[in-house]
Amino acid sequence: MGYKSGCHTTFHHRYHLVWAPKYRFKVLRGEVRLRIREIIRQVCAEMGVTIVHGVLSCDHVHLFVEIPLHVSVSDFVRRAKGRSSRKIQQEFEHIRKRYWGQRFWQRGYFSTTSGNITDDIIMRYLDKHPHKNGFSPST
């Protein structure tokens, strides 16, 4: 669980992401579940995203991922949801019939960050910093 580094940066960006099939239908089972897992792994490999942990429930996807600096969270989710939706509907006729509107996933997703330090630690560090004429919400 170390920091990654680029040319001029050091970072540790981990996200907990959750999204669900439209209408929260319990369709992530059997072959569909395995295929979605495979597609998401392919997207992660192409984008340089590391899966720390993940769970496919029957009606939603949980991913804990480490995303590099050059990839935005929304781009990653858009590509994972888009590619998996298209391929699942192409490969599984019963899914295509159930989701006749060409949309397999619900419109949005949940995202939160994870890190080694909390907001309180950052605020204490900034309060103790010698140069206090920086940014604040009131100025």
Side-chain angles (χ1 to χ4, degrees), residues 46-104:
E46 289 172 12
M47 298 183 83
V49 173
T50 303
I51 299 174
V52 178
H53 194 61
V55 175
L56 275 170
S57 295
C58 60
D59 66 346
H60 62 282
V61 174
H62 276 277
L63 283 178
F64 186 40
V65 292
E66 195 168 298
I67 299 179
L69 284 176
H70 67 278
V71 176
S72 71
V73 176
S74 60
D75 282 344
F76 167 68
V77 174
R78 177 182 51 81
R79 191 169 306 171
K81 286 172 65 176
R83 184 176 302 170
S84 60
S85 175
R86 188 180 75 251
K87 289 193 178 270
I88 289 299
Q89 290 187 56
Q90 286 173 350
E91 297 172 14
F92 297 94
E93 188 175 337
H94 70 283
I95 297 290
R96 187 171 47 246
K97 287 180 181 178
R98 182 165 224 177
Y99 294 97
W100 49 269
Q102 301 278 326
R103 304 259 192 287
F104 179 70

Side-chain angles (χ1 to χ4, degrees), residues 5-138:
S5 59
C7 258
H8 303 282
T9 57
T10 302
F11 61 95
H12 181 74
H13 293 174
R14 287 185 167 193
Y15 299 90
H16 175 211
L17 305 171
V18 182
W19 66 85
K22 204 163 185 185
Y23 314 118
R24 201 77 180 211
F25 287 150
K26 297 178 183 339
V27 295
L28 304 179
R29 295 184 171 149
E31 290 295 315
V32 173
R33 171 195 221 105
L34 295 174
R35 186 65 176 124
I36 285 176
R37 188 174 70 182
E38 181 182 325
I39 294 166
I40 290 173
R41 283 181 175 163
Q42 287 173 352
V43 170
C44 287
E46 289 172 12
M47 298 183 83
V49 173
T50 303
I51 299 174
V52 178
H53 194 61
V55 175
L56 275 170
S57 295
C58 60
D59 66 346
H60 62 282
V61 174
H62 276 277
L63 283 178
F64 186 40
V65 292
E66 195 168 298
I67 299 179
L69 284 176
H70 67 278
V71 176
S72 71
V73 176
S74 60
D75 282 344
F76 167 68
V77 174
R78 177 182 51 81
R79 191 169 306 171
K81 286 172 65 176
R83 184 176 302 170
S84 60
S85 175
R86 188 180 75 251
K87 289 193 178 270
I88 289 299
Q89 290 187 56
Q90 286 173 350
E91 297 172 14
F92 297 94
E93 188 175 337
H94 70 283
I95 297 290
R96 187 171 47 246
K97 287 180 181 178
R98 182 165 224 177
Y99 294 97
W100 49 269
Q102 301 278 326
R103 304 259 192 287
F104 179 70
W105 300 109
Q106 287 180 357
R107 186 175 278 179
Y109 63 94
F110 168 81
S111 170
T112 188
T113 57
S114 168
N116 293 335
I117 59 174
T118 63
D119 293 348
D120 290 338
I121 292 171
I122 295 170
M123 294 299 283
R124 278 186 288 180
Y125 171 77
L126 293 175
D127 286 342
K128 292 177 183 177
H129 203 275
H131 303 288
K132 287 195 175 188
N133 40 341
F135 301 98
S136 68
S138 60

